Amino acid sequence: MNTVLIKNLGKHLDEEVTIQGWLYNQRGSGKVKFLILRDGSGLLQCVIVKQNIGEELFDKTKALTQETSITVTGIVKEEPRAAGGYEMQVTGFEVINIAEEYPITHKEHGVDFLLERRHLWIRTPRQMAILRIRSEIEHAFRDFFYQRDFVLADAPIITPSACEGTSTLFGLDYHGEKAYLSQSGQLYSEANAMALGRIYCFGPTFRAEKSKTRRHLMEFWMVEAEMAYFDMDDNIKLQEEMVYYVITRVLERCKRELTILDRDVEKLKNIQLPFPRISYTEAVEILKEAGEDFTWGEDFGAPHETIISNHFGSPVFVHRYPTSIKAFYMKPDPEDPNVVLGADLLAPEGYGEIIGGGQRIDDLELLKQRIEEHHLPIEAFEWYLDLRKYGSVPHSGFGLGLERTVAWLCGLEHIRETIPFPRMLHKMYP
């Protein structure tokens, strides 16, 4: 018998096929039962008629509980009223495992209750839709880079030094030496770019800052790219093309999932290239016009980012931040050393910064000076300084937070739903 996925049933109309899955819900009478089956790719209504399959097999449906694993065989029929537009007229089924009483029922549960059972919560249609969209977003990033001749070059997760200081890093003992879980693969990606030209890495990063907001996780995934011979403008152009590519892919390939999430897709469809670009100084003026008491030289908080992005209703680049609030490797603007050749991309609808990037310092002496100004141990960066000694070139890069991007494109209230098992402040179970 042909075993297929629920999402592919449209290719098997009027054929007899088998679905391998789990019982999501059921209803019916003494003569007809409607089983709602899930297999990870979608939901399917399976119609079981007693006179068609026999009384003995029909009676077995009485023992079926929510999340019982089951394989169902039947004929695929078009049914516009059913989830997915198809249903199955069952000719037979086999019970694999009768589930015990399931703790997550078809009613409202509190978030704390669900987080404690995250390993089961991800089986619900909403969570499955989010995770399928996350998968499509990841796939889209990889396709974007490969189409532009980038090389995937992974960065280490265990590092001997910090990219931006050690105050928000998780430390660990590395056979008697102090080490850290990476907060960014950027420095290593710069080295890879000097070897391979244009590279990206995609992996987990860790921040130990004690933030308990809807935007923060302790462990999250980042897409980071570094490009030799790219200036700030080249960098910004690549970022907006990448984000637009991902938006287009999600709208094209995740229609059903966006519908499940009740996402207002018109807000995504209305986004066009190029994205607005404003300076940090211009952004400060927008805040002041909105009545905010904000001093030039401060960093933006979440409320400030929301005001700025709402001013445009689109992703917006804010460039040339004050040098004093940016990382040591950011290149100062030759026309105004008080600001750097860097830009953050703020997502609309209150989702805040999703990309941080900029042009890197390519001058050896200036980089040494900046490391000293930031009170970082220069011996930990000797290898990084080598990149400026042996064939230094102008180069730029950026890092995108995957989970914030997923939250924005899905229209989620909290970032905790964007990853299968979120790691938050005081929360790492399961």
Side-chain angles (χ1 to χ4, degrees), residues 144-145 148 150 197-198 225-243 273-275 277 317 319-320 331 341-343 355 357-360 362 393-398:
F144 175 86
F145 285 118
R148 287 156 181 78
F150 277 68
R198 300 178 184 183
E226 292 291 329
M227 298 75 66
Y229 293 102
F230 264 50
D231 63 17
M232 184 181 75
D233 291 332
D234 297 325
N235 192 16
I236 287 176
K237 187 172 185 295
L238 181 76
Q239 291 172 44
E240 68 181 357
E241 289 175 353
M242 178 189 72
V243 171
L273 293 176
F275 298 162
R277 294 153 165 74
F317 286 104
H319 57 80
R320 290 176 171 81
K331 184 171 183 173
L341 296 177
I355 298 181
Q359 193 165 339
R360 316 311 188 189
D362 51 78
V393 300
H395 61 288
S396 302
F398 64 86

Side-chain angles (χ1 to χ4, degrees), residues 125-126 129-130 133 250-251 253-265 409-410:
R126 173 184 168 85
I130 294 167
I133 291 174
V250 169
L251 288 172
R253 301 191 182 186
C254 300
K255 294 184 178 69
R256 184 165 59 88
E257 286 79 11
L258 292 169
T259 299
I260 291 171
L261 298 176
D262 200 24
R263 178 59 160 122
D264 182 355
V265 296
L409 295 183
C410 290

Side-chain angles (χ1 to χ4, degrees), residues 43-60:
L43 295 175
L44 174 65
Q45 178 171 278
C46 302
V47 183
I48 302 179
V49 180
K50 180 189 287 189
Q51 68 178 42
N52 291 344
I53 66 168
E55 187 170 345
E56 182 179 350
L57 191 57
F58 187 85
D59 285 345
K60 289 185 177 180

Side-chain angles (χ1 to χ4, degrees), residues 133-309:
I133 291 174
R134 177 190 172 106
S135 175
E136 186 60 45
I137 291 172
E138 292 192 39
H139 193 178
F141 281 129
R142 297 180 189 277
D143 285 348
F144 175 86
F145 285 118
Y146 280 123
Q147 289 169 14
R148 287 156 181 78
D149 295 317
F150 277 68
V151 177
L152 175 62
D154 294 318
I157 292 174
I158 298 175
T159 65
S161 58
C163 184
E164 300 175 10
T166 61
S167 61
T168 60
L169 266 72
F170 289 104
L172 56 89
D173 185 326
Y174 191 76
H175 302 290
E177 294 185 59
K178 187 67 175 178
Y180 305 92
L181 293 178
S182 175
Q183 64 183 171
S184 168
Q186 183 206 309
L187 304 189
Y188 295 97
S189 290
E190 287 187 50
N192 286 332
M194 295 305 106
L196 297 164
R198 300 178 184 183
I199 68 95
Y200 77 101
C201 68
F202 199 168
T205 53
F206 307 85
R207 300 285 170 93
E209 59 185 314
K210 290 181 168 55
S211 296
K212 191 177 182 181
T213 77
R214 67 187 184 92
R215 293 182 179 182
H216 286 87
L217 293 171
M218 304 288 107
E219 173 186 299
F220 58 98
W221 284 64
M222 283 185 70
V223 181
E224 298 182 272
E226 292 291 329
M227 298 75 66
Y229 293 102
F230 264 50
D231 63 17
M232 184 181 75
D233 291 332
D234 297 325
N235 192 16
I236 287 176
K237 187 172 185 295
L238 181 76
Q239 291 172 44
E240 68 181 357
E241 289 175 353
M242 178 189 72
V243 171
Y244 187 75
Y245 179 88
V246 172
I247 293 171
T248 303
R249 274 277 291 265
V250 169
L251 288 172
E252 176 188 336
R253 301 191 182 186
C254 300
K255 294 184 178 69
R256 184 165 59 88
E257 286 79 11
L258 292 169
T259 299
I260 291 171
L261 298 176
D262 200 24
R263 178 59 160 122
D264 182 355
V265 296
E266 292 305 315
K267 292 182 178 180
L268 300 178
K269 289 179 179 178
N270 289 336
I271 294 171
Q272 298 296 326
L273 293 176
F275 298 162
R277 294 153 165 74
I278 60 171
S279 69
Y280 169 88
T281 301
E282 290 171 320
V284 171
E285 289 304 312
I286 290 173
L287 293 176
K288 289 182 176 179
E289 289 172 6
E292 290 292 309
D293 182 15
F294 190 89
T295 303
W296 196 99
E298 297 177 2
D299 206 356
F300 298 138
H304 304 126
E305 292 176 344
T306 298
I307 291 170
I308 295 165
S309 63

